[in-house]
Amino acid sequence: MTKAATLYGAKTQTEVLRPGPLRPANIIRSKFPTYKNGSNGIVIKLADGPEIPPLKEIVAKETADLLDRRQRLSVRELAMKFEKGLNTATLLSNEVKWRQVALLERDILLKNLKSVLESLRGQVTGKTKDEIEESISMVEILAVQLSKREAELLQQKEEVTKLAKSLKQASEDAKRIVEEERANSHTEIECAKNAVQRVQQAVQEHEKMSQSTGKQDMEELKKEVRVARRIKMLHQPSKAMDLENEIRILRKTFAEKSTDCVNLLKELELHKRLKENGTPSFDLEGLQCLGSVLRIVALSGTHMDLSSVSIQWFRIHPKESDKEIISGATRPVYALEPQDVGRYLQAEIDVGGEIAVAKTAGPVDPDAGLVDYVETLVRKPETEFNVVVLQLNGIEQPKESVHVLNVGRLRMRLTKGKSVVAKEFYSSSMQLCGVRGGGEAASQAMFWQPRNDLSLVLAFETARERNTAIMLARRFAIDCNIILAGPGDKTPW
């Protein structure tokens, strides 16, 4: 018994340490069930390491992943993925070969072990013989398991081979498609280069032509400049200068004729008045256009003090005979405002109980270009004007400080720096007109009553700015269904 056990141990150790085809089996030992001899000669199955998914699942997963990403990859990336899949399939095929070699080696090992156990079975008796027979049966079971595993490996090898062939074919197709796309891209690039070259040539030709044409134009302009200088040096006026002189002379003649016509109309009106009554006659002096000032002058040849005479100004519509009294206009001087445009102005002077009348020869003319300027400002949300407050509720104010008047779409606001002096929306209680009390700056002054308890007299930089502010405010107020007028003026509603 001792000799047999010794021989068995020695034989087993020799078989384990034998060089040759048994050594590569250790490479994939962790992938197959491992057995060892326990106490009393019992074969014990060792615990397996971490489970590794079968080769078939790995191949199926890779294939599904490739098919899923095929629609999102470009041709070049698809080719790279196919090559990667082909490499993976090659590695899997090599792994299958290694497993097959390991199975063959284990098969040889089991056959050798079985032959050793059978040789020992004939040499021992009793309990040891039973143990050897049990070991032989376990070896046979292991042989059956290895044969099954070998059949599975053969099937997996066939599947991997098919997959490798399909991946190889797909990789070749992808390479062919890449080559075709590359050729097409090269063709398109060449066409684009040719087109760019043609455009560059056309641009260069156009630049050359423009340069040559520009040089010719420059030479012609230089010649014309030389001729013009020569003409100027010789004091020979050109046709354009002659036309300008003629137009200037015609304008001057037209203005003189217009003045003569106005004077003739005034003389006719004066003769009519003298025939009607023997009261002193008066006339209005000044331009009859917006922005000017009308002044009452006596025509009897004697100087008359009009400060102690009762005076009242009226507006008369050209097609109507009714007179509209201008409230507050009781001075010998009256500054025309936008509401007077298109109407006659008449001043009635009470001299010793007799009424003398001075009337304009025609309707008041508008300021040239003022209407278009106001229409331009209407498009803005608000417009600012620099003003000086002359009176506040009838009390004179210092004239050094400058205020800002904002005329907006919905309201008017007067500010001085950050402080607000007056801010009111357009309403029926608001009044706005030119100053009617006379004075040197009457044409630049405006009367504004934001509310019943506040009135202001504002002076603008020019008469044009004053008339612009009045017209703009009235235009915005009309959009709000409000009519801004002066004290006592008539309104349509």
Side-chain angles (χ1 to χ4, degrees):
M1 290 293 292
T2 304
K3 184 177 180 180
T6 304
L7 290 173
Y8 173 74
K11 187 80 172 180
T12 304
Q13 186 177 3
T14 304
E15 291 294 330
V16 172
L17 298 176
R18 181 184 297 173
L22 296 179
R23 188 170 298 172
N26 296 328
I27 298 174
I28 55 174
R29 182 183 299 275
S30 61
K31 298 181 182 179
F32 294 94
T34 307
Y35 300 89
K36 73 173 185 177
N37 292 327
S39 59
N40 298 327
I42 297 174
V43 179
I44 301 173
K45 181 180 179 180
L46 296 176
D48 295 334
E51 295 184 0
I52 298 176
L55 182 62
K56 186 175 181 180
E57 294 181 4
I58 296 174
V59 173
K61 185 177 180 180
E62 289 289 337
T63 305
D65 189 29
L66 287 175
L67 292 176
D68 181 46
R69 296 185 182 180
R70 182 175 181 181
Q71 299 296 330
R72 298 178 306 208
L73 298 176
S74 63
V75 177
R76 187 182 299 276
E77 292 177 349
L78 189 61
M80 294 174 63
K81 290 293 181 179
F82 275 124
E83 290 179 358
K84 184 177 178 181
L86 183 60
N87 295 332
T88 304
T90 304
L91 294 175
L92 292 175
S93 179
N94 294 333
E95 186 176 355
V96 169
K97 291 180 181 178
W98 294 339
R99 289 187 179 185
Q100 189 175 5
V101 170
L103 287 174
L104 292 174
E105 292 177 354
R106 289 199 176 188
D107 192 12
I108 295 172
L109 179 62
L110 290 174
K111 288 181 179 179
N112 294 335
L113 181 59
K114 185 177 179 180
S115 61
V116 171
L117 291 174
E118 288 179 352
S119 63
L120 288 174
R121 186 175 57 181
Q123 297 177 5
V124 296
T125 59
K127 186 176 180 180
T128 305
K129 185 176 181 180
D130 295 337
E131 292 177 354
I132 290 175
E133 289 179 353
E134 186 177 356
S135 299
I136 291 172
S137 63
M138 292 183 67
V139 169
E140 291 177 352
I141 293 171
L142 287 175
V144 172
Q145 292 180 355
L146 287 175
S147 62
K148 291 181 180 179
R149 182 61 61 84
E150 184 177 2
E152 292 178 357
L153 285 176
L154 290 174
Q155 185 178 0
Q156 292 179 1
K157 181 180 179 182
E158 292 177 357
E159 293 177 357
V160 170
T161 304
K162 291 180 181 179
L163 179 61
K165 289 180 179 179
S166 62
L167 289 174
K168 185 176 181 181
Q169 183 64 31
S171 178
E172 292 177 355
D173 294 340
K175 288 180 179 179
R176 178 175 55 79
I177 294 171
V178 168
E179 293 298 331
E180 292 177 357
E181 293 294 333
R182 185 181 290 113
N184 295 333
S185 300
H186 285 308
T187 304
E188 293 178 358
I189 290 171
E190 292 297 330
C191 294
K193 287 182 179 179
N194 295 332
V196 170
Q197 290 178 358
R198 289 195 297 270
V199 171
Q200 289 178 351
Q201 291 176 0
V203 170
Q204 291 175 359
E205 293 177 358
H206 180 70
E207 289 179 353
K208 291 180 180 178
M209 293 177 63
S210 62
Q211 288 177 0
S212 60
T213 307
K215 290 180 180 178
Q216 295 177 359
D217 295 340
M218 185 63 68
E219 294 296 331
E220 293 178 357
L221 288 174
K222 288 181 179 179
K223 291 180 180 179
E224 291 180 0
V225 169
R226 292 194 195 100
V227 173
R229 287 178 178 175
R230 182 176 58 82
I231 291 173
K232 185 176 181 181
M233 290 176 66
L234 295 176
H235 300 283
Q236 295 180 355
S238 61
K239 294 182 179 180
M241 294 176 64
D242 293 338
L243 291 174
E244 289 179 357
N245 292 330
E246 291 179 2
I247 292 172
R248 192 180 298 110
I249 293 170
L250 289 174
R251 286 178 177 174
K252 185 177 180 181
T253 305
F254 180 75
E256 292 176 355
K257 296 296 182 183
S258 299
T259 305
D260 293 340
C261 290
V262 171
N263 293 331
L264 289 173
L265 290 172
K266 289 182 178 180
E267 290 179 2
L268 289 173
E269 187 69 21
L270 178 62
H271 285 297
K272 288 180 181 179
R273 294 173 187 170
L274 290 174
K275 289 181 180 179
E276 291 176 357
N277 50 24
T279 58
S281 59
F282 297 90
D283 194 12
L284 298 180
E285 185 180 49
L287 296 177
Q288 299 177 11
C289 64
L290 183 63
S292 63
V293 177
L294 296 180
R295 187 182 302 273
I296 300 174
V297 294
L299 297 178
S300 59
T302 60
H303 179 72
M304 183 178 294
D305 185 12
L306 298 177
S307 60
S308 59
V309 177
S310 176
I311 300 173
Q312 181 61 58
W313 292 80
F314 297 90
R315 296 189 188 96
I316 302 176
H317 197 277
K319 297 181 181 180
E320 298 177 3
S321 59
D322 294 339
K323 296 185 296 184
E324 178 185 346
I325 188 171
I326 304 175
S327 179
T330 58
R331 300 290 182 87
V333 178
Y334 177 75
L336 297 174
E337 63 171 277
Q339 195 170 355
D340 301 327
V341 175
R343 299 183 181 184
Y344 291 91
L345 285 183
Q346 177 177 309
E348 294 185 356
I349 306 100
D350 186 359
V351 181
E354 295 183 357
I355 302 299
V357 177
K359 185 179 178 182
T360 58
V364 177
D365 297 326
D367 190 359
L370 184 59
V371 176
D372 296 334
Y373 180 59
V374 172
E375 290 296 330
T376 303
L377 296 179
V378 166
R379 301 187 185 97
K380 299 172 62 176
E382 65 177 13
T383 305
E384 294 183 354
F385 299 93
N386 294 326
V387 298
V388 175
V389 179
L390 300 180
Q391 292 182 6
L392 178 62
N393 291 332
I395 302 174
E396 298 289 336
Q397 299 293 319
K399 302 178 182 179
E400 291 80 11
S401 60
V402 178
H403 294 65
V404 177
L405 178 66
N406 290 279
V407 180
R409 294 183 182 276
L410 300 176
R411 65 184 181 183
M412 296 178 64
R413 184 175 71 252
L414 181 66
T415 59
K416 180 184 178 182
K418 295 183 179 180
S419 62
V420 178
V421 179
K423 180 175 67 173
E424 292 294 333
F425 290 93
Y426 298 117
S427 63
S428 58
S429 62
M430 183 181 291
Q431 295 181 357
L432 183 70
C433 64
V435 171
R436 299 168 179 175
E440 296 180 357
S443 61
Q444 302 177 14
M446 181 184 75
F447 173 78
W448 179 38
Q449 180 178 313
R451 54 183 184 270
N452 295 329
D453 60 343
L454 179 63
S455 63
L456 298 149
V457 176
L458 307 177
F460 290 78
E461 295 179 358
T462 61
R464 186 181 178 88
E465 284 194 3
R466 182 205 73 160
N467 296 326
T468 301
I470 294 174
M471 294 175 65
L472 187 62
R474 288 176 176 173
R475 175 64 182 276
F476 286 146
I478 289 174
D479 294 339
C480 299
N481 295 326
I482 300 294
I483 291 182
L484 293 181
D489 293 341
K490 293 182 181 180
T491 59
W493 62 79

